[in-house]
Amino acid sequence: MLSTPAQAAVWYSTDRWGTWSSGGYTLYNNVWGNGYGPQTIWANSGTNWGVWANHPNTGGIKAYPNSTKWSGKKVSALGTLSSSFNVSVPTSGVAFTSAYDVWSSDNAHEIMLWMNKYGAVGPLGSFQTSVSVGGHSWNVYRGSNGSNQVYSFVRTSNTSSGTVDIKAICNWIKNRGWFGDVTIGNVQFGYEITSSSGGKDFVTNNLTVTAT
């Protein structure tokens, strides 16, 4: 059964790898984990979209439906790299985080910015420090998933809207010596869903990424 937004949307897909591009953004349904349930992604535009997801209450990430925009500049050459978001998400009976996933162009480095989290979810790696940077206060974790380095910035309190200065966070990581003058590739925002039993709606009311 499709949620109401999907029925009225410009585009939707129930395919686990469904993808659609509009206005410089590419949407991915991205049901990549094991033991997943049905998930429908819908979009009115590249900046207004969402998913209905019914993933069982079991461990392990099932999906990361997201919107992606490309940067393609070295950290030292970034003009503006920022994003504003506004979401409506379930807060009970779920395990997920609303998160940015910012990649170096070679996919060797991954910066996760957790804006809110509910249920039994936690970041990869070990706690490093607490810091206020990019307009928010975070607890910072660092580790490897076996394929790439992961730097997780977990916001100290949940928020469903705000603006993030991603350039400032990239510079903070670079200044700590965790990576060099890497090229920033994909800037993604979405929902890393572990469970949403019974079917839940995750709505991106608005998302804009400014990359200059």
Side-chain angles (χ1 to χ4, degrees):
M1 178 178 177
L2 302 182
S3 63
T4 300
Q7 292 173 338
V10 172
W11 169 80
Y12 74 89
S13 177
T14 58
D15 189 288
R16 61 184 297 204
W17 305 118
T19 181
W20 181 74
S21 295
S22 177
Y25 298 86
T26 301
L27 303 186
Y28 298 96
N29 205 21
N30 197 27
V31 184
W32 64 267
N34 295 318
Y36 56 86
Q39 178 174 294
T40 299
I41 189 170
W42 57 267
N44 293 313
S45 67
T47 59
N48 172 223
W49 60 276
V51 295
W52 175 86
N54 183 6
H55 298 299
N57 186 19
T58 53
I61 299 163
K62 310 302 190 301
Y64 178 59
N66 70 83
S67 176
T68 297
K69 191 170 186 178
W70 180 260
S71 168
K73 288 190 174 182
K74 290 183 178 294
V75 173
S76 63
L78 291 172
T80 299
L81 185 59
S82 66
S83 179
S84 296
F85 71 99
N86 183 298
V87 301
S88 298
V89 294
T91 59
S92 62
V94 289
F96 79 98
T97 178
S98 301
Y100 288 91
D101 219 354
V102 181
W103 294 85
S104 61
S105 60
D106 62 359
N107 294 329
H109 301 275
E110 177 184 6
I111 307 165
M112 295 203 73
L113 309 177
W114 290 32
M115 306 316 298
N116 60 40
K117 60 184 175 69
Y118 295 93
V121 294
L124 186 73
S126 58
F127 175 75
Q128 301 293 308
T129 189
S130 296
V131 66
S132 292
V133 64
H136 302 267
S137 295
W138 319 88
N139 293 319
V140 183
Y141 297 77
R142 182 186 182 195
S144 172
N145 61 16
S147 299
N148 53 267
Q149 293 294 310
V150 182
Y151 317 103
S152 297
F153 290 69
V154 180
R155 201 175 187 278
T156 55
S157 61
N158 285 340
T159 185
S160 290
S161 64
T163 299
V164 187
D165 185 345
I166 299 170
K167 174 185 174 179
I169 293 168
C170 291
N171 276 312
W172 184 87
I173 295 171
K174 179 174 174 286
N175 290 339
R176 285 185 74 93
W178 292 354
F179 57 42
D181 194 16
V182 299
T183 298
I184 302 300
N186 285 319
V187 178
Q188 303 177 313
F189 177 85
Y191 309 98
E192 194 173 65
I193 307 170
T194 293
S195 65
S196 54
S197 184
K200 303 289 185 181
D201 284 300
F202 303 79
V203 180
T204 308
N205 299 307
N206 189 56
L207 169 75
T208 56
V209 176
T210 303
T212 64

